[in-house]
Amino acid sequence: MHRLILPLSLLIAAPALAAPGEAPFAASNQSFAIAAACRTRLMEIVAEARQANHVAIEGPYEVAAGDVRAHLVRISGSGHRITEHRCAGEKLSTRTWRHSMDGAEDEAPETIDSMAAKAEWLKKDRAK
């Protein structure tokens, strides 16, 4: 599990460095009277995610005063789908983005055909 901490930190930091293309936060339909209630909801989200099939989970942790976040990572095609939940005071919001491991921009479902197309050993015209 400790081996996931550094790569997860790099995945999380990547969008922060590329602010112009950063996914915007979408406001949640849940509302809270106080910031502590929002943070409690983040803890519930993290606990639920630990029961699901996430590769890694970070948080909740405070990024700045009144800005608490949690990150969930799932395998998605040839990369990862990262979901970030944020409590800015009592306001909960979420954003998600994909980090590709092969440089592909589009998120296409992995199929037998798409995996076979990437398998060098299956290509007929490869050098012998």
Side-chain angles (χ1 to χ4, degrees):
M1 183 67 176
H2 295 290
R3 291 183 289 166
L4 289 176
I5 293 172
L6 180 60
L8 178 59
S9 299
L10 294 174
L11 288 173
I12 293 168
L17 298 174
E22 192 172 291
F25 281 98
S28 170
N29 59 358
Q30 297 177 330
S31 60
F32 304 93
I34 59 173
C38 188
R39 185 181 181 118
T40 298
R41 178 62 187 130
L42 276 186
M43 289 188 281
E44 292 169 353
I45 290 169
V46 166
E48 292 165 5
R50 292 193 192 284
Q51 302 300 317
N53 61 348
H54 288 81
V55 175
I57 301 164
E58 286 277 328
Y61 55 91
E62 192 166 64
V63 174
D67 188 353
V68 181
R69 301 185 189 195
H71 289 86
L72 316 175
V73 180
R74 288 183 186 231
I75 294 173
S76 174
S78 61
H80 297 90
R81 166 76 38 203
I82 301 142
T83 302
E84 179 179 23
H85 298 281
R86 174 187 189 195
C87 285
E90 69 283 348
K91 296 180 180 8
L92 178 63
S93 58
T94 303
R95 66 180 172 180
T96 186
W97 67 92
R98 184 170 179 274
H99 179 263
S100 174
M101 301 302 279
D102 66 0
E105 293 297 320
D106 294 331
E107 183 174 11
E110 284 288 314
T111 64
I112 291 173
D113 291 335
S114 68
M115 288 187 283
K118 296 177 195 173
E120 291 296 321
W121 61 274
L122 287 176
K123 294 182 180 174
K124 293 180 182 181
D125 60 346
R126 67 185 176 122
K128 294 182 183 184

